[in-house]
Amino acid sequence: MDLDVTGVAHQGVFVARHEGRVVFVPDAIPGERVRARIVEERRRFARAVALEVLEASPDRRPHVLPEGGIDRAPGQRAGSADFGHIALPRQRELKATVLADALTRIGRFDAAEVAGWRLAVSPVGAEAGRDATDRPGLDITARPGRRWRTRETLHVDDAGRCGPYAARSHTVVPVAGLPLAVDELEELGAHRRPWPGHERVQLVIDEAAPFDAPGRARVIVDGGRGRTVLRRVHGVDFAVDEAGFWQVHRDAPATLVDTVAGLVDVDRIDADAPHLDLYGGVGLFAVWLARAGLAVTTVEADARASELAARNAASLGRVDARCEPAERFLRREAQQAPAGMYARSLVVLDPPRSGAGRRAIADLVRLAPAQVIYVACDPVALVRDARLLVDAGWRLDRLRAFDLFPHSHHFETVASFVR
């Protein structure tokens, strides 16, 4: 069937209508007409795969990852760069559209107010400092938005071949190159080697080694051995488990630290009050808040990450690293903390993709801190939790969004809430 693509939905899937029903179709761009095949039908919607572009958008480009292009069979398209066929400025416009739609449709914020915010998903690092126009005819190796990943995860199939998965499947797609990875990771050549008997291959940068030195780029097989790599943010070193979580974009940690620091309302908080860093990982935000003179409790459920948070903050003396689920910590504090204990406090939370959730937000509201700064990798989870805070008397006073995942539908948002 032929479909006219009209918009973009959450998770970066494009939207068309057919016989009164919404059809989700990847590998397209709003404004295009594509030939597609229905692969799943539900009562209210259907899913399709695009087979051919009949009327192309002026924003269509050769896919940044050639194995992800629409010229390949749908089941053999690498799914790790789902916006890779779109000019980079248009990618950011589409992400801003997704954020605005989430705020109004799911978060129930006033549409006129949201429009007045002039939401933008901003480039970072090298892309922020130069013209990122992705022109027609530009050589694929010169396209902006490449070489930002400091960690790359490849899956291994039963034949030992490695690569990203195809979209919505566990089919491994071998790739000739890793255009989103920093050069040092691609130069390892791990994506060109067989890995029989293994399940996953991760490539990671260790900044303990000088640039281009042996050992700086490392191959981690099947979850690693518990060793650490060093990551550096504004000259401060963080130990991270070699297979553990760390913001993958080379400029993401500094961008997020700077944004959180810039959003802190110093007139509302007291440096001597108890401050919280929830879902704190290895202590990125806790360390920077402590360096600014705040006493911080950082809470992380993963034992390894919590151990490293304590190590990363040990020299500061103002960070208490707790290993427990943030939800359990909040519930106990909501029940036991004296009234007004957090009245001049800052709470930073960086929950997983699913968000903090109704119960955790309810307990956070009971603590009544002076300011909440919420770091989100999923706009829908953010706005659901934002609505809970606003309904409890908070105000969303500032919102920033960053393109920390070029050529994919993902982006990061940082929001500040005050009472």
Side-chain angles (χ1 to χ4, degrees):
M1 68 175 64
D2 296 350
L3 296 174
D4 292 315
V5 182
T6 59
V8 61
H10 177 50
Q11 297 184 339
V13 181
F14 301 99
V15 177
R17 297 195 73 87
H18 180 70
E19 297 180 349
R21 183 170 53 177
V22 172
V23 180
F24 298 115
V25 52
D27 301 320
I29 306 174
E32 288 189 330
R33 170 167 283 200
V34 298
R35 184 153 293 152
R37 181 177 70 243
I38 297 292
V39 294
E40 180 183 351
E41 294 191 74
R42 300 287 183 91
R43 186 167 62 88
R44 294 185 177 180
F45 69 90
R47 298 187 188 278
V49 293
L51 303 174
E52 180 184 359
V53 180
L54 303 177
E55 297 178 15
S57 164
D59 293 311
R60 179 167 285 275
R61 299 290 183 269
H63 205 289
V64 70
L65 181 63
E67 293 84 358
I70 198 171
D71 56 317
R72 292 172 65 96
Q76 290 298 316
R77 293 175 196 164
S80 58
D82 56 349
F83 274 17
H85 60 293
I86 308 173
L88 197 57
R90 181 62 171 145
Q91 293 180 34
R92 297 185 185 123
E93 291 174 0
L94 292 169
K95 294 178 187 185
T97 298
V98 168
L99 179 57
D101 177 71
L103 285 162
T104 55
R105 184 172 53 85
I106 299 171
R108 305 192 313 279
F109 288 85
D110 180 75
E113 181 182 16
V114 171
W117 293 345
R118 301 180 183 274
L119 296 173
V121 177
S122 302
V124 300
E127 302 299 345
R130 67 181 179 89
D131 180 8
T133 300
D134 201 347
R135 300 183 302 278
L138 190 67
D139 185 271
I140 192 170
T141 61
R143 288 191 65 189
R146 295 162 38 96
R147 303 302 178 201
W148 52 268
R149 296 189 64 94
T150 58
R151 182 185 295 273
E152 187 80 53
T153 299
L154 305 173
H155 305 281
V156 183
D157 66 13
D158 292 341
R161 297 173 301 184
C162 75
Y165 283 142
R168 298 177 61 82
S169 83
H170 286 169
T171 299
V172 171
V173 180
V175 292
L178 304 173
L180 302 187
V182 296
D183 287 321
E184 293 160 281
L185 297 186
E186 184 173 58
E187 289 166 3
L188 287 170
H191 58 293
R192 294 189 292 269
R193 292 165 47 192
W195 295 91
H198 297 290
E199 295 181 355
R200 184 176 62 181
V201 176
Q202 290 181 290
L203 317 176
V204 64
I205 290 295
D206 184 356
E207 292 180 306
F211 181 75
D212 268 352
R216 180 176 167 93
R218 188 184 296 181
V219 179
I220 315 298
V221 181
D222 295 337
R225 301 178 181 177
R227 298 179 299 180
T228 60
V229 295
L230 186 73
R231 306 311 307 273
R232 190 165 285 121
V233 184
H234 291 326
V236 176
D237 291 341
F238 290 83
V240 182
D241 189 271
E242 63 180 1
F245 174 79
W246 182 257
Q247 289 285 345
V248 69
H249 193 294
R250 63 187 179 221
D251 298 306
T255 296
L256 294 176
V257 161
D258 292 348
T259 301
V260 169
L263 290 175
V264 172
D265 191 332
V266 295
D267 293 329
R268 292 178 182 269
I269 70 169
D270 184 339
D272 295 323
H275 307 284
L276 301 178
D277 171 33
L278 304 178
Y279 312 93
V282 300
L284 174 65
F285 296 121
V287 165
W288 282 95
L289 293 172
R291 287 171 62 87
L294 305 186
V296 185
T297 297
T298 182
V299 184
E300 170 55 50
D302 182 85
R304 176 62 165 158
S306 183
E307 170 198 338
L308 292 173
R311 183 196 305 184
N312 292 331
S315 65
L316 297 170
R318 295 180 66 82
V319 176
D320 178 15
R322 306 279 187 92
C323 181
E324 65 177 311
E327 297 83 0
R328 187 168 70 195
F329 174 88
L330 280 170
R331 172 50 53 98
R332 186 176 62 251
E333 288 297 287
Q335 293 172 344
Q336 299 178 6
M341 176 176 172
Y342 288 95
R344 297 280 288 171
S345 298
L346 168 69
V347 175
V348 176
L349 65 161
D350 185 5
R353 190 167 300 280
S354 56
R358 183 174 297 276
R359 183 170 177 175
I361 294 296
D363 290 332
L364 177 59
V365 166
R366 289 177 63 185
L367 297 184
Q371 184 179 18
V372 173
I373 298 179
Y374 191 127
V375 181
C377 59
D378 184 274
V380 170
L382 168 66
V383 301
R384 285 176 180 152
D385 289 344
R387 172 44 57 190
L388 297 173
L389 284 167
V390 170
D391 286 348
W394 295 75
R395 176 170 57 87
L396 174 55
D397 72 327
R398 283 171 290 176
L399 186 69
R400 301 284 307 279
F402 300 97
D403 192 16
L404 300 187
F405 308 91
H407 298 298
S408 86
H409 73 272
H410 298 291
F411 60 96
E412 202 88 2
T413 309
V414 185
S416 167
F417 299 86
V418 296
R419 292 185 293 122

